[in-house]
Amino acid sequence: MKFTVLTIFPEMFESFWAHGIIRRALDLNKISATAINIRDYATDRHQMTDDRPFGGGNGMVMKPEPLAGAIRAAKQRQGTAKTVLLTPQGATFDQNMARDLASIGELILVCGRYEGVDERICQEFIDYEISIGDYVLTGGELAAMVIIEAITRLIPGTLGGEDSAEKDSFSDGLLEHAHYTRPRNFEDQETPAVLLSGHHREIELWRTESSVMRTLLKRPDLLRSKELNDQEVEILKKWYREIKNLLNIEHPESE
Ligand code: 4FV
């Protein structure tokens, strides 16, 4: 996977490239990543990358010429790359989109600043507008990092040891099950005995039930948009019976 980031603050990525899974993926040549300074493509002697908005109003707008120059240069290096503008106007990023983008192979991520970029760049040079959420950042850099990290985790071999993206939240449309580690008893809170039992089938069942119920309680919207398998249906039916019994006991009139 090749990532080229266009930004007026390339130094923001130095630490990002140098740590964790991104560092590991770079060392394993699973990804390549460069941050290009848009200012290097400014055409005026003051290397301006922003200017006042036509029609007045506060804030500044990113000038089209430096962005066009930087995108063209990046496309020269990565002919088949798709360009992505990070903007609140974009489609909301999620795990499905991460999987789709991972299959593209080469991405040029354009990080806006100020009020945004000149609309003619959006019209002529941008393939995808992506938002990481309905809030306003001062720049697209953090959003670019989020997307690069989420995609890189999906590349086989980037996650260490037995860790695999397949077990991630959202990988099967459910939230992940609860996790426990030593000590068994932490401040009088025990670890569920089944996790210490060594019965892998029991443990898998417990984890599936934990995922289904956490998703029901925290993100019921995910359950509604998911094709439930027989095991998941059985788990929900069991809890439904449990609650019905409880209600019958407590409120027999509620029948
Ligand atoms: C953003 C988001 C975001 C808006 C103006 C950069 C800023 C400035 N990007 N998801 N939310 N971008 O707020 O991706 O240009």
Side-chain angles (χ1 to χ4, degrees):
M1 185 81 195
K2 285 187 171 184
F3 297 105
T4 298
V5 177
L6 305 183
T7 168
I8 60 171
F9 296 126
E11 59 278 9
M12 282 179 72
F13 290 82
E14 279 151 20
S15 159
F16 180 62
W17 304 143
H19 294 89
I21 187 176
I22 303 299
R23 173 62 183 276
R24 180 188 165 78
L26 287 166
D27 293 349
L28 295 169
N29 292 321
K30 296 282 184 183
I31 67 170
S32 71
T34 44
I36 305 291
N37 193 333
I38 296 166
R39 202 176 294 287
D40 298 346
Y41 296 86
T43 53
D44 65 303
R45 58 191 166 77
H46 301 298
Q47 287 204 304
M48 299 301 290
T49 59
D50 63 304
D51 203 340
R52 291 189 310 288
F54 280 130
N58 56 15
M60 301 293 271
V61 176
M62 291 194 87
K63 290 170 61 61
E65 307 96 322
L67 280 166
I71 293 170
R72 286 189 174 116
K75 283 213 164 203
Q76 246 138 37
R77 270 193 306 282
Q78 289 181 255
T80 60
K82 292 294 183 194
T83 57
V84 170
L85 175 64
L86 294 308
T87 168
Q89 318 234 342
T92 302
F93 186 64
D94 64 8
Q95 197 71 2
N96 291 332
M97 193 188 288
R99 267 191 286 272
D100 299 345
L101 291 172
S103 64
I104 292 177
E106 299 185 355
L107 289 178
I108 297 168
L109 298 146
V110 181
C111 303
R113 279 268 152 180
Y114 317 108
E115 299 313 306
V117 307
D118 185 286
E119 183 61 18
R120 291 162 288 190
I121 292 295
C122 307
Q123 301 303 327
E124 302 305 321
F125 291 84
I126 299 299
D127 299 306
Y128 307 114
E129 291 193 351
I130 298 177
S131 170
I132 61 167
D134 294 345
Y135 38 81
V136 181
L137 307 170
T138 54
E141 286 78 9
L142 296 178
M145 292 177 193
V146 165
I147 289 176
I148 292 170
E149 167 119 356
I151 292 172
T152 299
R153 299 181 80 263
L154 296 174
I155 299 169
T158 56
L159 285 178
E162 74 297 338
D163 201 354
S164 83
E166 269 65 48
K167 293 205 313 281
D168 277 350
S169 283
F170 312 108
S171 56
D172 54 3
L174 294 176
L175 298 182
E176 249 179 80
H177 54 74
H179 295 285
Y180 291 82
T181 186
R182 287 181 293 190
R184 289 183 184 204
N185 180 304
F186 171 67
E187 296 181 354
D188 296 332
Q189 296 170 75
E190 271 301 332
T191 297
V194 64
L195 298 180
L196 310 170
S197 69
H199 295 152
H200 296 298
R201 180 123 177 65
E202 299 292 319
I203 291 168
E204 263 330 293
L205 183 57
W206 181 90
R207 284 178 167 168
T208 304
E209 184 159 354
S210 171
S211 279
V212 169
M213 296 318 290
R214 289 157 78 86
T215 308
L216 177 66
L217 296 170
K218 299 179 178 186
R219 291 290 309 277
D221 58 300
L222 292 174
L223 276 185
R224 273 192 288 280
S225 58
K226 175 187 170 22
E227 188 65 37
L228 294 171
N229 63 35
D230 300 350
Q231 189 186 28
E232 291 156 355
V233 169
E234 260 332 292
I235 289 165
L236 288 168
K237 280 186 173 168
K238 183 187 97 173
W239 281 86
Y240 175 70
R241 286 191 297 275
E242 193 76 34
I243 293 163
K244 244 168 75 66
N245 298 345
L246 270 172
L247 281 176
N248 290 349
I249 297 157
E250 301 297 318
H251 308 283
E253 80 287 350
S254 69
E255 241 335 290

